[in-house]
């Protein structure tokens, strides 16, 4: 195959390989798009996912296309960015190579590892089949299917003792994802499903939020945690703090020794970094995240960086940075600058995170915001700020417009527009064959 002069020139420049197209990986690639460096962006999916709104796909408020954008479309005009839909199976930092599932081995000059995390079941992987989490569009669609099917099953079993297990929803984990899930489930149960299924009373629908710690949203100030708790209780959510899940099965969950009949356990507790990071042969924390240097590189290998949720980065006070999008994005831009300018290890300024605050939504026109300089908001004002920031942060104009229209419609009508039950592609029925 003949190469153009431009291609030949590009191949002589340093090669940056980015594993993962989440917030950190995408931001790093965007920052390198005008650098002239050769960049390979590798992800098992062909799209970037706006994960903070994933729970709204799971609860039928948004469609998958509203919160995702094709990677090749994002980098259509960047000739030095090579997007690869593949999966990295191994990393060899000594030889400066990675091994891909489809394309095989690939050499790099700089490696940026941003694979994100998966949900952790705390040494009980068998619970996952009964208690799905949400980290991907596949997860969200499966959770949506599970939630909507529960109401269909509840109608079939009305008047029997089995009906309660289909109208009881248990959300495990009192962080932002768990709170957002619980609030959304309570709202659609009270205002949407009770109208779609008139034989099911609002009082029949039970939503429980289970948190092992002393309070929900522990990363927020206590006053905001209390405001969120009150808002959830007004929606009808039962909050179980200082409570631990002891067992999960197809038709029940055991919490603090008590058995709760339910087919709807939704997992939002804990994260675990991918096993791929073990190839680096460097210290990991309890979640499997890499203990990175102050320039986001790994020990003994200044040309290998780990960013985002897969990195354990301690700030100036010795506290680990939270696994939020802003951390990953800022680290992505920082590492891109180091690669583009080819800054030697001994001259790199340490990464400094600029904390812009933390936000969580509870439901329609309800949210909390813990911002800089001690500014704390709750209620409609916090929700409006949360909505504006999330819409602006979406990648494409089409996504922004679509999400705004869906939210406006839901605000007016309480009718989410994506209440479709799709066949689970992981299992075939006899009629499908």
């Amino acid at each position: 195959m003949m190469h153009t002069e431009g291609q030949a020139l590009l191949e002589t420049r340093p090669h940056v390989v980015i594993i993962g197209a989440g917030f950190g990986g995408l931001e790093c690639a965007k920052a390198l798009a005008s650098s002239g460096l050769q960049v390979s962006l590798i992800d098992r999916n062909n799209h970037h996912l706006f994960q903070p709104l994933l729970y709204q796909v799971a609860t039928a408020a948004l469609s998958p296309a509203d919160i995702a954008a094709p990677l090749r479309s994002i980098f259509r005009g960047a000739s030095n960015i090579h997007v690869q839909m593949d999966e990295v199976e191994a990393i060899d930092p000594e030889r400066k190579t990675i091994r891909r599932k489809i394309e095989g081995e690939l050499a790099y000059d700089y490696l940026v590892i941003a694979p994100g995390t998966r949900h952790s079941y705390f040494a009980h992987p068998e619970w996952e089949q009964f208690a799905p989490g949400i980290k991907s569009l596949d997860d969200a669609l499966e959770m949506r299917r599970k939630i909507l099917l529960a109401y269909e099953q509840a109608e079939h079993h009305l008047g029997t003792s089995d009906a309660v297990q289909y109208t009881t929803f248990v959300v495990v984990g009192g962080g932002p994802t768990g709170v957002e899930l619980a609030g959304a489930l309570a709202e659609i149960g009270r205002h949407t499903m009770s109208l779609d299924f008139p034989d099911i009373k609002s009082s029949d629908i039970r939503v429980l939020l289970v948190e092992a710690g002393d309070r929900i949203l522990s990363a927020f100030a206590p006053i905001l945690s209390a405001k969120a708790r009150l808002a959830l209780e007004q929606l009808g959510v039962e909050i179980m703090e200082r409570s631990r899940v002891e067992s999960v099965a197809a038709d029940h969950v055991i919490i603090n020794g008590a058995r709760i009949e339910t087919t709807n356990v939704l997992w939002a507790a804990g994260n675990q970094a991918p096993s791929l990071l073990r190839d680096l042969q460097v210290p990991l924390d309890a979640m499997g995240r890499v203990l990175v240097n102050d320039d986001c590189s790994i020990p003994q290998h200044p040309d290998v960086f780990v960013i985002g949720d897969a990195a354990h980065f301690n700030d100036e006070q010795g506290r680990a940075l939270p696994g939020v999008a802003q951390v990953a994005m800022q680290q992505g831009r920082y590492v891109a600058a180091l690669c583009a300018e080819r800054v030697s290890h001994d001259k790199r300024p340490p990464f400094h995170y600029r904390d812009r605050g933390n936000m969580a939504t509870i439901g329609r026109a309800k949210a909390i915001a813990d911002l800089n300089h001690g500014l704390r908001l709750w209620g409609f004002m916090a929700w409006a700020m949360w909505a504006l920031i999330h819409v602006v942060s979406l990648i494409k104009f089409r996504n922004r417009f679509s999400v705004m229209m869906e939210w406006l419609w839901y605000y007016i009508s309480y009718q989410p527009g994506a209440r479709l039950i799709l066949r689970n592609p992981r299992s075939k029925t006899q009629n499908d064959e």
Side-chain angles (χ1 to χ4, degrees), residues 300 338 370:
Q300 309 304 318
L338 296 182
D370 202 346

Side-chain angles (χ1 to χ4, degrees), residues 349-423:
F351 170 73
H352 176 70
Y353 174 55
R354 295 178 178 84
D355 189 356
R356 294 184 171 90
N358 204 2
M359 310 180 81
T361 181
I362 295 109
R364 177 180 178 271
K366 297 182 180 69
I368 59 172
D370 202 346
L371 307 175
N372 290 334
H373 310 297
L375 178 61
R376 291 162 184 160
L377 303 173
W378 54 85
F380 179 82
M381 184 65 70
W383 177 81
M385 182 178 293
W386 173 90
L388 177 63
I389 290 173
H390 281 69
V391 167
V392 170
S393 299
L394 287 165
I395 296 294
K396 297 282 189 179
F397 173 79
R398 177 202 169 278
N399 300 82
R400 296 170 191 158
F401 181 79
S402 179
V403 168
M404 282 193 296
M405 290 301 101
E406 288 288 353
W407 283 350
L408 179 61
W409 173 248
Y410 179 67
Y411 190 86
I412 296 170
S413 69
Y414 275 113
Q415 295 293 306
R419 301 192 308 279
L420 304 177
I421 299 175
L422 304 178
R423 182 179 65 83

Side-chain angles (χ1 to χ4, degrees), residues 43 62 75 79 83-84 109 113-114 172 178 190 216 225 233 267 346 365-366 372-373 378 384 399:
D43 197 285
L62 296 174
F75 293 104
S79 59
V83 175
Q84 302 177 28
D109 293 292
I113 305 172
V172 182
R190 175 183 294 184
I216 62 171
S225 178
E233 289 174 340
W267 200 264
D346 57 337
K366 297 182 180 69
N372 290 334
H373 310 297
W378 54 85
N399 300 82

Side-chain angles (χ1 to χ4, degrees), residues 232-243:
L232 286 170
E233 289 174 340
Q234 290 172 343
L235 288 172
V237 177
E238 301 173 39
I239 300 174
M240 302 176 65
E241 294 166 332
R242 294 178 290 279
S243 300

Side-chain angles (χ1 to χ4, degrees), residues 13 28-37 39 75 77-81 336 340:
R13 295 175 179 175
C28 185
K30 287 167 62 179
L32 290 171
S34 59
S35 68
L37 300 184
V39 180
F75 293 104
S79 59
N80 69 317
I81 307 291

Side-chain angles (χ1 to χ4, degrees), residues 12 26 38 40 156 178 180 239 246 366 429:
T12 65
L26 184 75
Q38 183 186 3
S40 295
H156 291 318
E180 289 163 353
I239 300 174
E246 298 170 359
K366 297 182 180 69
T429 65

